[in-house]
Amino acid sequence: KNQVEQSPQSLIILEGKNCTLQCNYTVSPFSNLRWYKQDTGRGPVSLTIMTFSENTKSNGRYTATLDADTKQSSLHITASQLSDSASYICVVRWYSSASKIIFGSGTRLSIRP
Amino acid sequence: DTAVSQTPKYLVTQMGNDKSIKCEQNLGHDTMYWYKQDSKKFLKIMFSYNNKELIINETVPNRFSPKSPDKAHLNLHINSLELGDSAVYFCASSPEGLANGEQYFGPGTRLTVT
């Protein structure tokens, strides 16, 4: 069964600290993986996209990694800011007879001053 | 200059009623989607339209009917609302289909069925 699991479910850190969010998937054959940021009361916004051949990709203070062999991805946030408080959702696409997409349940990140 | 807009933002209604949610995108994208986000925060795709044609129709009750008058609009009509329909519904669009295109999401419509 194709699944996307994220951990932790929630995380609280102090402003300025770093953190890493995890995403494990069982999807096959893999197409690409995106990390989205969803602020409270808003729709998700894409942070990064990674394909099979990419190991790491950065977007400012956000760095995503992908290990396609172990089917794991992580999102590392450096020098966290209060505005980083949001849910971070891992989204995996695969292709069988048609393109498919599955969302993880997200990690709720809270940054405290 | 909102890219993907939805109306209304909040919708409170009673069981058995029929309601519609409207979505418009001004990005010139060919593909639009409807998602449901339940209380556990899982986002699940419901429908996808490409140039006004239905290309994805996941297993949702037939009480839900999408309507696309043109490629910039994708409305969601729900008949005979049930308590379990309470959720946040997101509209999204993408320049390409589901394979590669980044999706741009609207702000969501919180539907509460009492």
Side-chain angles (χ1 to χ4, degrees):
Chain A
K1 181 181 179 183
N2 290 307
Q3 287 185 317
V4 176
E5 295 184 351
Q6 292 188 243
S7 62
Q9 283 191 331
S10 61
L11 182 62
I12 302 174
I13 63 172
L14 292 176
E15 186 179 9
K17 297 296 185 182
N18 304 336
C19 66
T20 300
L21 313 180
Q22 298 289 343
C23 174
N24 297 338
Y25 61 92
T26 60
V27 160
S28 180
F30 173 83
S31 177
N32 62 55
L33 183 149
R34 277 187 192 273
W35 282 93
Y36 281 86
K37 178 187 179 186
Q38 185 176 16
D39 291 314
T40 301
R42 307 284 294 271
V45 175
S46 178
L47 293 174
T48 65
I49 179 173
M50 303 185 75
T51 58
F52 185 86
S53 60
E54 295 175 302
N55 298 119
T56 184
K57 185 169 283 188
S58 292
N59 177 1
R61 293 179 297 102
Y62 300 103
T63 300
T65 65
L66 175 66
D67 185 333
D69 292 330
T70 61
K71 298 188 177 181
Q72 296 179 328
S73 177
S74 65
L75 181 68
H76 186 74
I77 304 175
T78 304
S80 61
Q81 301 176 358
L82 296 179
S83 60
D84 292 332
S85 294
S87 288
Y88 292 84
I89 303 172
C90 174
V91 183
V92 182
R93 295 174 193 225
W94 77 98
Y95 189 89
S96 55
S97 56
S99 291
K100 298 284 188 180
I101 185 171
I102 185 167
F103 285 68
S105 61
T107 293
R108 176 69 204 172
L109 177 63
S110 297
I111 310 298
R112 299 289 165 83
Chain B
D1 57 347
T2 305
V4 182
S5 59
Q6 296 177 228
T7 55
K9 188 166 177 62
Y10 300 97
L11 184 55
V12 181
T13 187
Q14 292 184 328
M15 285 175 55
N17 285 348
D18 302 338
K19 292 293 180 184
S20 292
I21 306 172
K22 296 185 177 181
C23 177
E24 177 181 1
Q25 55 97 2
N26 61 7
L27 298 167
H29 290 167
D30 287 336
T31 309
M32 295 184 72
Y33 312 81
W34 275 109
Y35 285 87
K36 179 181 180 182
Q37 188 171 41
D38 60 24
S39 58
K40 295 183 178 179
K41 304 300 182 185
F42 277 104
L43 269 160
K44 292 183 181 177
I45 191 168
M46 301 173 68
F47 301 101
S48 172
Y49 266 74
N50 183 273
N51 275 321
K52 300 195 299 175
E53 289 189 30
L54 180 66
I55 55 173
I56 294 177
N57 183 357
E58 295 297 321
T59 306
V60 298
N62 57 16
R63 298 182 293 103
F64 291 78
S65 54
K67 295 275 194 305
S68 183
D70 55 62
K71 78 171 193 176
H73 295 85
L74 181 62
N75 303 324
L76 183 65
H77 188 75
I78 314 171
N79 290 328
S80 303
L81 278 156
E82 300 177 357
L83 293 176
D85 297 332
S86 295
V88 181
Y89 292 84
F90 286 96
C91 176
S93 72
S94 66
E96 305 168 34
L98 206 51
N100 297 305
E102 175 183 349
Q103 294 181 51
Y104 296 77
F105 285 82
T109 295
R110 181 173 291 279
L111 171 65
T112 303
V113 182
T114 61

